[in-house]
Amino acid sequence: MGQLALAAKVTHVPSMYLSELPGDRHGTRQDAINGHLEISRRCRALGVDTIVVFDTHWLVNANYHLNCAPRWSGTYTSNELPHFISNMEYGFSGNPELGRLLARTCSEQGVETLAHDATTLAPEYGTLVPMRYMNADKHFKVISVSALCTSHYLNDSARLGWAMREAVEKHYDGKVAFLASGSLSHRFAQNGLAPEFAFKIWSPLLEKLDDEVIRMWKSGEWSDFCAMLPEYATKGHGEGFMHDTAMLLGALGWSAYDGKAEVVTPYFAASGTGQINAIFPVTPQDGQAVPQPEASRATSYRSFSRI
């Protein structure tokens, strides 16, 4: 029987890579990098063998998808911010067996999910940036999960998170970490103002909203947070519509979760957006509070075989 050993919400800002390079931004994201190194240290101490990343830079328009190829390597340049991440080398191993198990269990629980283990699809930087600092020595296997979901219900994402936890705990022989890779508020600075907002949140309203959310996380107000998540995702400009956060909280038990977040990198601003590294202790849960899937219960829903 396996174990969900660690859960965390993590930043993947490309300025972390820029922070490594000579120039004006050198060293400016060391706190965020140190947070990743601390999460890696804890995963190693817990015996984690695979990190599953809910990646808000992997955009999908239908179904949920897992990239669980046996291995990846290459050189990555961001199409979004090529002046921040350019020619960044990467390489690590996947976990096809676990990926297929996760996808099958999610689909069985009404959230249609496809595992891609024979693919040329490369990970996005929501996976690559955290793994650069957490997994430089290729210690962990990695699975990337699509979490920029354009046409999906947050309830389905929550159910996906819980189904993945059950797959690990009931059918996997090993220890796994789940990472929600995405920001809090994600309102980028208007074009031309990015340098001015490199270390500032776009608006005082969004900063206050993020501060309140972090306070709720630290005090364990999960029922209230889960109730406000749909509005926070839209009105607070949550990255990837906050599907990564819904996945993480679904795995933790949703509104019944009784842990309190531990901040390992304090809240910081990047190009107008709000960022954090925070660990969520995994507590025993029965899943009763996790929402039922939405899409598969709709009267017009049809399940299609893989194309």
Side-chain angles (χ1 to χ4, degrees):
M1 185 170 64
Q3 180 186 1
L4 174 58
L6 185 140
K9 173 85 171 179
V10 302
T11 183
H12 58 238
V13 287
S15 53
M16 293 170 69
Y17 180 66
L18 197 62
S19 175
E20 297 180 32
L21 307 179
D24 293 341
R25 301 292 291 275
H26 182 260
T28 56
R29 295 296 182 210
Q30 192 60 48
D31 285 352
I33 293 171
N34 289 345
H36 281 195
L37 295 175
E38 175 61 15
I39 292 169
S40 176
R41 185 193 68 78
R42 297 201 195 185
C43 284
R44 292 164 195 258
L46 291 166
V48 167
D49 60 76
T50 301
I51 295 177
V52 177
V53 184
F54 305 137
D55 187 336
T56 55
H57 268 266
W58 182 0
L59 184 152
V60 291
N61 295 322
N63 307 113
Y64 290 87
H65 300 267
L66 284 72
N67 192 340
C68 55
R71 62 191 58 83
W72 298 277
S73 63
T75 305
Y76 178 83
T77 297
S78 166
N79 63 337
E80 178 192 12
L81 293 163
H83 57 307
F84 276 53
I85 303 182
S86 179
N87 300 318
M88 182 178 77
E89 295 185 358
Y90 66 90
F92 43 83
S93 297
N95 191 332
E97 179 184 5
L98 177 58
R100 291 189 293 266
L101 171 62
L102 295 176
R104 183 171 66 251
T105 306
C106 291
S107 296
E108 289 171 353
Q109 293 200 22
V111 181
E112 192 167 14
T113 305
L114 303 176
H116 303 274
D117 56 1
T119 179
T120 58
L121 183 66
E124 296 292 337
Y125 81 69
T127 299
L128 295 177
V129 169
M131 290 306 99
R132 179 172 182 83
Y133 305 107
M134 297 184 194
N135 199 28
D137 60 355
K138 306 178 184 179
H139 177 83
F140 304 109
K141 297 178 182 178
V142 180
I143 294 173
S144 184
V145 180
S146 58
L148 176 44
C149 304
T150 65
S151 308
H152 303 62
Y153 299 98
L154 282 172
N155 281 0
D156 282 5
S157 293
R159 173 56 55 172
L160 174 139
W162 178 255
M164 288 189 173
R165 176 173 177 172
E166 287 208 315
V168 169
E169 292 183 343
K170 294 181 178 180
H171 305 294
Y172 183 64
D173 183 18
K175 295 184 178 182
V176 178
F178 288 173
L179 305 182
S181 179
S183 74
L184 297 170
S185 64
H186 200 68
R187 175 51 165 94
F188 268 98
Q190 203 70 20
N191 186 43
L193 297 178
E196 179 182 342
F197 281 87
F199 304 99
K200 293 167 55 179
I201 302 298
W202 175 248
S203 78
L205 174 64
L206 292 175
E207 186 169 7
K208 291 292 186 182
L209 183 57
D210 285 348
D211 285 344
E212 175 61 12
V213 163
I214 295 167
R215 186 199 66 76
M216 295 171 75
W217 287 2
K218 291 168 68 174
S219 62
E221 298 175 23
W222 301 111
S223 182
D224 287 345
F225 177 74
C226 289
M228 68 179 270
L229 180 57
E231 280 194 288
Y232 178 47
T234 55
K235 296 176 181 179
H237 296 269
E239 184 169 15
F241 311 106
M242 302 214 84
H243 281 277
D244 66 318
T245 303
M247 293 172 183
L248 190 73
L249 284 175
L252 292 168
W254 197 242
S255 57
Y257 177 49
D258 54 351
K260 296 181 179 180
E262 175 194 356
V263 174
V264 293
T265 301
Y267 181 73
F268 67 96
S271 302
T273 70
Q275 305 290 331
I276 199 168
N277 286 317
I279 294 174
F280 296 71
V282 181
T283 65
Q285 295 288 329
D286 60 12
Q288 292 300 307
V290 179
Q292 293 298 313
E294 292 284 337
S296 59
R297 294 193 297 158
T299 56
S300 58
Y301 173 80
R302 291 180 60 194
S303 179
F304 291 89
S305 60
R306 183 171 178 176
I307 299 174

